[in-house]
Amino acid sequence: MKVAVTYENGQVFQHFGHTAQFKIYNIENGKILSSEIMDTRGSGHGALAGVLSELHVDVLICGGIGSGAQMALAEAGIQLFGGMKGEADQAAESFAAGKLAYDPHVKCGHHEHRHDGEHACGDHVCDHHSGSGNSSR
């Protein structure tokens, strides 16, 4: 089984659509056999499901993710474990052991209307598109 984790500096990256790398783990019988870091080749949002599909990924572990990307993953047959934080390796180890606690209702409101011009990814607030630098909810 191949498991991808959104990846940045050893951590689970918190915005699926903006991840520059995935760490791909090969898992069998509850153990990680190997892992490698893969570049997303500049793909974003829905196109990332295609990248993961090309890599024959079965499972994605990530922080925040929007509904469009969730649908693209579902159409590609990739199981989603979202709302994760912390070290990517620890998340993969927990998944391999069958002990990954995740949020089945994870949502990134990135494309949804907010009056403050920001969007929330996982449990943090991003001001990626507002340009205001304001991080209040």
Side-chain angles (χ1 to χ4, degrees):
M1 167 181 284
K2 280 193 175 182
V3 176
V5 179
T6 53
Y7 188 80
E8 183 178 65
N9 298 322
Q11 301 294 305
V12 176
F13 186 69
Q14 291 301 297
H15 189 155
F16 173 77
H18 290 277
T19 192
Q21 296 179 315
F22 290 109
K23 190 161 185 182
I24 309 294
Y25 300 84
N26 289 301
I27 298 175
E28 281 187 30
N29 301 319
K31 301 215 183 285
I32 297 173
L33 302 179
S34 64
S35 65
E36 63 181 316
I37 297 170
M38 304 292 293
D39 190 58
T40 62
R41 303 181 298 247
S43 300
H45 290 94
L48 288 172
V51 170
L52 293 174
S53 185
E54 288 173 13
L55 294 169
H56 305 287
V57 166
D58 302 295
V59 170
L60 170 69
I61 297 171
C62 68
I65 184 168
S67 59
Q70 289 181 25
M71 290 189 319
L73 290 169
E75 289 173 9
I78 299 170
Q79 190 175 8
L80 172 65
F81 292 84
M84 299 304 304
K85 294 181 183 181
E87 294 182 18
D89 289 348
Q90 181 59 50
E93 289 169 13
S94 294
F95 176 82
K99 298 178 181 180
L100 185 66
Y102 69 101
D103 180 358
H105 305 292
V106 68
K107 186 174 183 181
C108 175
H110 169 72
H111 294 287
E112 298 185 18
H113 178 75
R114 287 183 56 143
H115 294 283
D116 60 5
E118 297 175 349
H119 65 278
C121 299
D123 285 334
H124 75 275
V125 175
C126 300
D127 62 355
H128 177 73
H129 296 287
S130 70
S132 68
N134 179 1
S135 63
S136 63
R137 286 187 183 242

